[in-house]
Amino acid sequence: MPSEPAPLLQNRLEVHDRKQFEIKLEYQPSGADDETRYLVEMFLFVPNSLNIDAETYPRADFYADIHNYVRFTTPVMSLEELLSSASSPLANLEAWLTTGAGTEAEIVYQAKLLCCIFRGALRRFAKVVDGRCEPPAASSLSEADCAALQRIVLGSQEAVTRVLERFRAWTKATAGLRLQEKTRASFRLVDEYMSLTVEQYFRKAVADMDSLPRSGVYIEPRKALMNTVILEETYRKDNQLRSVLSPTGDNEEYMHRIGFLKKFCMNILFLSARRKGKRQGWEEVLFAFAAGLAMAFATAVAFWAQARFPQVSLNFFLIVVLGYMAKDRIKEGLRRIFSSFASRHLFDRMAEIVDPVTKKTLGTLEERVDYGRLVKVPEEIASLRRLDDFITVSQGELAESVIRYQKEIVLDAELLPRTQRGLTGVTDIIRFNVERFLRDMDDPELALEYVDLEDFSVGRVKAAKSYQVDLAFRFTTDEADQEKVSVQLVRLVLDRNGIKRMLRLIPEQPSQPRRPEPYRDAA
């Protein structure tokens, strides 16, 4: 039975750290049209007490707080496909030993691609284990469910061991070949990151099993995973690698190597964004038009004065001066009018999405930010917010600042790489820094007076001071003349130290009260 096509757009919202939240967007054109268009809109509803508006938080500062990564979506292959498929990077590496077809750069690319796909397969394995071991699911596991979990864990552990053995056997087989030292170093780094990836996701899987009993059939999967983790740690020690966890140290070197190796292995997927000043060019045209209109007025006044008065006269002199003054004001007035027009109808920034390997332009990316009166909140967003009593009552009584961030992506389906599973998608990761929002906040902890009812003594209790910022999203996809729109509403709870938590606001169900709940997955 053929698998269902992937959605055109998937998203995930999460807190990255105390100062940043992250939006992960996965664009997946189906190929039904030459172009697929995506529009992502984020509305920030900020309390006025935070002093955030167009003057205190201008566009340049807003864009400085956004960190953007655009890359190809990691190709999807299971661990079994990595071992058996003739198109897997592992098979391509092994075939290269016999054919010798391909440059060293292409072989390094295949090794990195193997690492990326391997990491994706392990991440999916960890998600499956987590889903089966969450407290509600774990308490209702049947014998068949336990057996299935055991098969998944042991099967994945065996497949991981075989992938590592084959890749390391291939690496040893290249020892007799004449390769550049940089190429050999790349193979070693890929090997180290694959080892660390196994450790990371197998440890996570064992941690997720914490809700399961520590006896009977639940012991063997844990032992199998941790034995593999210990073997990989020993392997790195034997090869004198410093990426080994220390129970007593600060593990700074460990974290640094993981970060570097991740960037090194995944850089083959990253795309470059080549900036272009589209709005600036149109603004210059409009400003030139404003200057021309002002000059035409001044010239007309000069011609009229010349026909009416002698050139060497006080009247002629005064009229020409007044005409110049009016011309200057007309020019500045038209510049403001055209600049306002441009801000309403043109994007602030534009970039071309370029594949750094093929140098092909895969699509375009445009962004804009609007403030206050320029922002028209869509009805579907406003209706979502009206489900909250605080917001319903405060609208029109308690002021708030509204900021809209728009991002439009147009992808050319004909230029995207194709795999056996279809077109390769594009992943867009946006990290937004909220540090500017914290500047005008009060202290995060307060002391409130408390009266003991027994002896009426007065004491103090601790109270936490926080602020709530609503984030509303509208996602629009347009492909083959079919437009789909979806909306989401989340709430950031902030204090002066940063983000405390993110809440997903669930729409009210019939006859059920609506409550915020801790945010897990918005996809």
Side-chain angles (χ1 to χ4, degrees):
M1 185 175 179
S3 59
E4 294 184 1
L8 292 178
L9 175 62
Q10 298 183 71
N11 70 84
R12 188 180 73 227
L13 303 170
E14 61 186 11
V15 176
H16 181 70
D17 54 37
R18 284 303 300 267
K19 298 296 176 66
Q20 297 180 99
F21 68 88
E22 182 176 283
I23 314 163
K24 185 175 182 181
L25 304 163
E26 295 189 359
Y27 311 116
Q28 184 58 62
S30 66
D33 200 353
D34 293 341
E35 284 187 348
T36 305
R37 188 177 300 271
Y38 302 89
L39 179 62
V40 178
E41 297 172 280
M42 177 176 70
F43 297 83
L44 292 91
F45 300 91
V46 186
N48 259 13
S49 59
L50 298 186
N51 192 28
I52 300 290
D53 57 30
E55 292 184 359
T56 61
Y57 193 45
R59 286 184 172 87
D61 292 349
F62 183 93
Y63 287 122
D65 286 337
I66 289 180
H67 202 167
N68 200 191
Y69 307 89
V70 183
R71 61 173 176 84
F72 284 125
T73 301
T74 305
V76 177
M77 288 184 114
S78 66
L79 293 169
E80 291 72 19
E81 287 175 315
L82 276 176
L83 291 166
S84 60
S85 175
S87 61
S88 80
L90 184 57
N92 294 335
L93 292 173
E94 292 171 336
W96 175 75
L97 284 177
T98 56
T99 63
T103 64
E104 290 187 25
E106 292 171 344
I107 299 307
V108 170
Y109 176 89
Q110 289 294 324
K112 289 183 177 182
L113 185 60
L114 168 65
C115 184
C116 294
I117 296 175
F118 183 69
R119 180 177 180 273
L122 282 173
R123 185 174 62 245
R124 291 191 298 277
F125 159 75
K127 284 184 177 180
V128 170
V129 173
D130 182 37
R132 289 174 176 266
C133 296
E134 285 184 340
S139 61
S140 60
L141 280 179
S142 64
E143 289 186 9
D145 293 331
C146 297
L149 177 62
Q150 190 171 17
R151 283 196 304 271
I152 291 171
V153 170
L154 297 181
S156 298
Q157 184 265 342
E158 180 185 356
V160 163
T161 302
R162 289 170 58 196
V163 170
L164 292 174
E165 286 176 349
R166 283 176 57 177
F167 178 71
R168 287 164 184 169
W170 175 84
T171 304
K172 290 180 180 178
T174 63
L177 303 177
R178 296 179 60 184
L179 299 175
Q180 297 179 25
E181 181 55 31
K182 181 180 178 181
T183 302
R184 296 191 186 280
S186 298
F187 296 158
R188 291 193 295 269
L189 293 180
V190 168
D191 184 21
E192 181 180 0
Y193 188 54
M194 291 176 70
S195 176
L196 287 167
T197 302
V198 172
E199 178 181 89
Q200 175 187 357
Y201 286 108
F202 276 13
R203 280 189 193 275
K204 183 180 184 307
V206 174
D208 291 336
M209 293 181 191
D210 191 52
S211 59
L212 300 179
R214 293 182 176 83
S215 60
V217 296
Y218 301 101
I219 292 297
E220 188 177 354
R222 288 183 171 107
K223 281 186 176 179
L225 295 178
M226 289 310 299
N227 284 340
T228 304
V229 169
I230 293 170
L231 285 173
E232 288 306 308
E233 190 174 89
T234 304
Y235 173 80
R236 296 197 301 279
K237 287 180 180 177
D238 293 343
N239 286 274
Q240 299 180 342
L241 299 173
R242 296 188 298 275
S243 52
V244 178
L245 273 175
S246 169
T248 57
D250 61 5
N251 292 300
E252 179 183 352
E253 181 69 15
Y254 179 87
M255 295 304 299
H256 173 73
R257 289 188 75 84
I258 284 183
F260 175 84
L261 291 169
K262 181 180 178 180
K263 293 182 180 70
F264 173 78
C265 292
M266 297 192 68
N267 66 359
I268 61 168
L269 299 177
F270 279 84
L271 303 170
S272 63
R274 194 161 55 200
R275 296 285 177 193
K276 286 193 170 183
K278 180 179 179 181
R279 173 174 170 174
Q280 184 179 3
W282 279 108
E283 279 188 335
E284 294 299 330
V285 172
L286 292 174
F287 292 165
F289 185 63
L293 288 177
M295 188 63 191
F297 172 82
T299 304
V301 170
F303 284 166
W304 176 81
Q306 188 177 20
R308 185 75 179 268
F309 304 102
Q311 290 190 12
V312 185
S313 67
L314 180 60
N315 288 338
F316 179 81
F317 172 77
L318 292 175
I319 291 174
V320 170
V321 170
L322 289 173
Y324 180 83
M325 293 166 59
K327 171 245 180 188
D328 185 68
R329 293 301 89 204
I330 290 172
K331 177 183 174 182
E332 291 303 316
L334 289 174
R335 280 174 64 94
R336 285 195 295 270
I337 292 172
F338 289 151
S339 179
S340 176
F341 174 84
S343 66
R344 288 196 304 269
H345 299 282
L346 298 177
F347 284 89
D348 301 327
R349 306 197 301 181
M350 183 266 188
E352 292 180 339
I353 303 173
V354 180
D355 184 346
V357 177
T358 63
K359 308 302 180 185
K360 292 181 179 178
T361 300
L362 306 178
T364 58
L365 178 159
E366 294 181 304
E367 300 169 285
R368 64 181 286 181
V369 179
D370 295 313
Y371 299 85
R373 290 178 297 175
L374 293 178
V375 179
K376 184 179 180 182
V377 179
E379 178 56 32
E380 55 263 45
I381 297 292
S383 62
L384 273 183
R385 299 192 74 221
R386 281 196 292 268
L387 295 175
D388 187 284
D389 289 343
F390 272 21
I391 298 173
T392 302
V393 172
S394 63
Q395 281 182 349
E397 296 189 27
L398 300 179
E400 62 183 0
S401 299
V402 183
I403 303 174
R404 178 181 62 185
Y405 169 69
Q406 290 181 298
K407 186 172 193 176
E408 185 178 66
I409 300 275
V410 180
L411 295 176
D412 191 332
E414 294 183 349
L415 296 179
L416 290 173
R418 290 183 178 271
T419 65
Q420 291 180 339
R421 297 175 185 265
L423 288 176
T424 299
V426 172
T427 298
D428 184 9
I429 300 172
I430 306 170
R431 286 182 189 163
F432 188 83
N433 192 306
V434 300
E435 193 160 9
R436 171 60 187 86
F437 290 51
L438 315 179
R439 192 179 69 186
D440 293 320
M441 290 186 178
D442 295 336
D443 289 335
E445 291 186 359
L446 305 172
L448 300 179
E449 292 181 344
Y450 171 80
V451 179
D452 192 317
L453 294 179
E454 292 185 1
D455 58 4
F456 298 103
S457 61
V458 178
R460 291 181 179 274
V461 295
K462 186 168 62 174
K465 174 70 172 178
S466 65
Y467 298 79
Q468 297 183 352
V469 175
D470 282 0
L471 304 176
F473 296 87
R474 183 167 69 168
F475 305 102
T476 306
T477 61
D478 185 1
E479 184 182 73
D481 297 328
Q482 292 186 354
E483 186 177 279
K484 296 181 180 179
V485 179
S486 62
V487 293
Q488 266 176 239
L489 182 63
V490 299
R491 177 170 293 164
L492 283 181
V493 180
L494 310 167
D495 63 17
R496 184 179 278 185
N497 295 324
I499 302 172
K500 298 184 69 174
R501 59 189 174 274
M502 179 184 281
L503 304 174
R504 177 176 57 184
L505 303 182
I506 300 177
E508 187 178 19
Q509 301 296 325
S511 71
Q512 290 183 355
R514 173 182 171 277
R515 297 191 182 106
E517 70 171 16
Y519 184 84
R520 290 185 179 275
D521 188 3

